[in-house]
Amino acid sequence: MKDQLPTAKAAELELRRLANPRNAAFAQKFFRTEKGGYGEGDSFLGLSVPTVRGVARRCNALDGQELAKLLDSKWHEARLMALAILAQRAEKAFKKKDANSLKAVFGVYRSRISRIDNWDLVDVAAPAVVGSYFLVNNDAERKRWLASKQLWERRIAYVSLLQDIRRAKRVDRVFRYGPRLLEDSHDLMHKALGWVLREAGKVDPQGLEAFIERYGKRMPRTALRYAIERWPQAKRKRTLIETRGE
């Protein structure tokens, strides 16, 4: 069809047509696809995010089953495109208070959660899809993901809380769940923890200060630095000294 790409196969073929081998080689290194890297074994076409989103705009007619097929793709950009579409649909359903549509989008996402296996794939859709769903549903499943042995499930769980901040100006779960990640061993979780705490601090500065005062000495340094990076320089320096003698 000229106006839209109706199937996952057609959408993937279009992405492959636009492939850039030189950029793909760079992406393989940037996203740590080497043996032992957090993105081990992933495959890239070398497409920019705007290019992927451009194709995604032509794929709005893809149903949940076809999007699930895209999430099964070996190509990173195909999974990214599917997640961008799911995120857009989740936001629309949330704004319209369409519980059934939101549940359907979340269902596709959850059914392929193992294919959401790099930080950019997590970040593009976790707030809109997972965060929106758990704003209107019990989030016991998110709590289980926070305790998962799987890095990406933990990141999905915490990054999804950005939707609490953006759409509900709600930060209680950010501060309540944050301590569960203080002993996390992975740098990508340290960054996620600090990022989400920093955003919560825009809504509740006193809440962030209280969190840092209580847990600052236990926080990974990367998380702490991310969380306080918008504080005045003198205050940041003082906090870093007080929490670990720097």
Side-chain angles (χ1 to χ4, degrees), residues 125-158:
V129 177
V130 179
S132 294
Y133 182 80
F134 288 136
L135 267 173
V136 296
N137 292 278
N138 182 286
D139 75 337
E141 188 166 18
R142 172 160 54 193
K143 294 176 186 177
R144 291 196 293 272
W145 291 345
L146 278 170
S148 174
K149 294 181 180 180
Q150 169 54 249
L151 164 65
W152 306 119
E153 289 185 0
R154 299 197 304 277
R155 187 170 173 110
I156 287 168
Y158 204 64

Side-chain angles (χ1 to χ4, degrees), residues 97-132:
K97 298 183 179 180
D98 184 346
N100 290 332
S101 294
L102 184 56
K103 181 178 180 180
V105 170
F106 178 74
V108 174
Y109 186 101
R110 180 171 54 187
S111 74
R112 295 299 189 275
I113 195 168
S114 65
R115 303 299 294 143
I116 304 169
D117 55 1
N118 215 311
W119 59 264
D120 63 322
L121 300 181
V122 171
D123 298 354
V124 74
V129 177
V130 179
S132 294

Side-chain angles (χ1 to χ4, degrees), residues 24 30 34 37 46 50-51 53 55-56 78 88-89 97-98 118 134-135 155 159-160 163 215 221 232:
F30 183 78
E34 75 279 4
T51 297
R53 289 190 178 277
V55 178
Q88 183 182 46
R89 290 184 184 174
K97 298 183 179 180
D98 184 346
N118 215 311
F134 288 136
L135 267 173
R155 187 170 173 110
V159 168
S160 70
Q163 197 76 338
Y215 298 110
R221 298 307 274 179

Side-chain angles (χ1 to χ4, degrees), residues 39-54:
E40 180 178 350
D42 205 354
S43 299
F44 286 78
L45 293 167
L47 304 182
S48 67
V49 172
T51 297
V52 173
R53 289 190 178 277

Side-chain angles (χ1 to χ4, degrees), residues 80-94:
L80 179 65
M81 182 174 68
L83 290 165
I85 294 170
L86 288 173
Q88 183 182 46
R89 290 184 184 174
E91 288 282 14
K92 184 177 180 180
F94 180 74

Side-chain angles (χ1 to χ4, degrees), residues 183-231:
E183 308 303 324
D184 200 292
S185 63
H186 206 289
D187 181 67
L188 287 172
M189 284 308 304
H190 302 168
K191 292 176 179 178
L193 174 61
W195 171 28
V196 178
L197 285 170
R198 182 187 68 221
E199 296 305 301
K202 295 178 182 178
V203 173
D204 184 1
Q206 291 74 31
L208 177 58
E209 289 190 15
F211 187 95
I212 299 301
E213 182 176 354
R214 182 172 182 180
Y215 298 110
K217 292 182 179 180
R218 292 176 54 197
M219 288 178 69
R221 298 307 274 179
T222 296
L224 178 60
R225 290 180 184 278
Y226 269 52
I228 66 175
E229 69 178 9
R230 293 183 181 274
W231 286 7

